[in-house]
Amino acid sequence: MSVQSPTAGLSVHVDGAVAVIRLSRPAKRNALNEAMVAGLSKAVTGFPPAIRAVVIHGEGDHFCAGLDLGEVDGEPDLAAAIQHSLGWHRSFQDLQYGRVPVFSVLHGAVVGGGFELAAATHVRIAERSAFFALPEGQRGIFLGGGGSVRIPRLIGTPLVQDMMLTGRTLSAEEARAAGACQYLVDDGAGLPLAMELARKAAGIADMTRFAVIHALPRIAEADPHIGYLTEALMASTAQTMPEAKERVRDFLAKKAAKVTRPG
Ligand code: 1HE
C-alpha cells in the first residue's frame, strides 16, 4: 500500500488495483478550494496503468460542503469567476471521462459542489446519514461545477429547481428514490462496499471499461441512429479483442463465474 499526497486537503492511498482518494479537510467540512479541485484531476490523470478503479470519500462527518465559500468572498471579477467554473468543469470531466471508473461514498453533507462532484462519479453509494442539498440558491449563486448538466440527468429538472428555489434537502432515502445514488447502505458500510465494487470493476476487460465510461453516456445522449451505429462499432471493437475471446471461451469451458441472483 503506497501513499501519495497530491495536494493539501486530499490524501491518496493505493490498495491493489484501487486508488482511494480522501477529501481531507474535515475542519471545513471538506469544502473544496481551487487547489483541491485541481488536485482531484491531477490524481486521477496521474495514476499508473496498474490502477484500474478509484474510490472517493470524505474524512470526518461529511462528504463535502461544496465550494469553499471563502473563495467567492473577494472583489467581484467576472472573468476570474468564469475561469473558476471552467476549472471545476475540467477537473470533473477528468473524473467522469478518465481511464478508470470512479466510485463515491456519500455521508453527511453532500451539498452544492459536493453534490456536483458526486454527480461526476460513475457509482454513488450513500450512507443513511447522507443529505443532499443545493444551497447555491440561498447563497445568491448558481451551480458551477457541471451540476446543472449532470444533476438534472440524475434526478430531473423539477426536483433540482425545487431544491434550488426552496432550499429543500433530500434525505438519503429520498435521494436514492430520486436517482441521486445507486446504493443506500448503513452508516459505515459505504467504504467497504465501494472497495468491493471497485475491485469488481477493476477486473473488467480494458475495452469494455472504455466503452462503459466513454461510449455508453454518449450513445445514451445521441440521436438514436447515431447511437445504434456507435454501439455496433463499439460492440464489434470490444468483441474482437483477444481478452473478450478468452473470457467467452472460459465461460463455455465452464471456467468462468455464472451470473448470480441478487441478494
Ligand atoms: C465552510 C463551508 C464552505 C463549512 N465553505 N467554509 N456550500 C454551502 O453553502 C454549505 C455550507 N455549510 C454548511 O451548511 C454546514 O457547514 C454543513 C451542513 C456542511 C456542516 O455543518 P456543521 O455544523 O457540521 O459545520 P459548521 O460549524 O457549519 O462548519 C464548520 C466550519 O467549516 C466552519 O468554519 P469555522 O472556521 O467557523 O470552524 C464553516 O464556516 C466551515 N465551512 N462549509 C467554507 N462551503 C462550483 S460552484 C459550487 C457552488 C457551491 O458549492 S455553493 C454551496 C456552498
Side-chain angles (χ1 to χ4, degrees), residues 27-29 31 62 65-69 88 112-113 116 135-136 139 144-145:
K28 296 289 179 190
R29 308 311 186 243
H62 302 281
L67 167 70
D68 184 337
L69 290 167
W88 280 58
E116 295 187 276
E136 286 88 342
R139 310 273 178 251

Side-chain angles (χ1 to χ4, degrees), residues 103-106 123-127 181-183 185 189-190 193-194 197:
F103 294 74
S104 53
V105 181
L106 310 175
V123 179
R124 287 164 292 280
I125 299 157
E127 295 189 348
C181 55
Q182 292 96 321
Y183 294 87
V185 298
L193 176 62
L197 298 175

Side-chain angles (χ1 to χ4, degrees), residues 90-194:
R90 276 192 296 275
S91 185
F92 291 1
Q93 287 274 109
D94 285 342
L95 288 182
Q96 186 175 7
Y97 293 108
R99 186 179 52 79
V100 297
V102 183
F103 294 74
S104 53
V105 181
L106 310 175
H107 76 297
V110 184
V111 307
F115 193 177
E116 295 187 276
L117 167 58
T121 67
H122 302 99
V123 179
R124 287 164 292 280
I125 299 157
E127 295 189 348
R128 293 200 184 276
S129 68
F131 55 97
F132 296 68
L134 296 171
E136 286 88 342
Q138 277 61 52
R139 310 273 178 251
I141 54 180
F142 189 60
L143 295 152
S148 60
V149 174
R150 294 189 183 99
I151 300 174
R153 285 175 162 78
L154 297 178
I155 66 175
T157 301
L159 187 50
V160 176
Q161 288 176 318
D162 183 7
M163 293 173 78
M164 292 203 67
L165 292 171
T166 68
R168 179 177 178 181
T169 297
L170 301 182
S171 67
E173 286 78 9
E174 288 171 321
R176 171 74 189 97
C181 55
Q182 292 96 321
Y183 294 87
L184 175 57
V185 298
D186 287 339
D187 292 340
L191 188 55
L193 176 62

Side-chain angles (χ1 to χ4, degrees), residues 4-7 10 12 21 35-47 91 94-95:
Q4 321 147 28
S5 283
T7 187
L10 296 179
V12 178
I21 301 178
M36 289 165 75
V37 171
L40 284 170
S41 158
K42 199 171 156 206
V44 291
T45 55
F47 289 131
S91 185
D94 285 342
L95 288 182

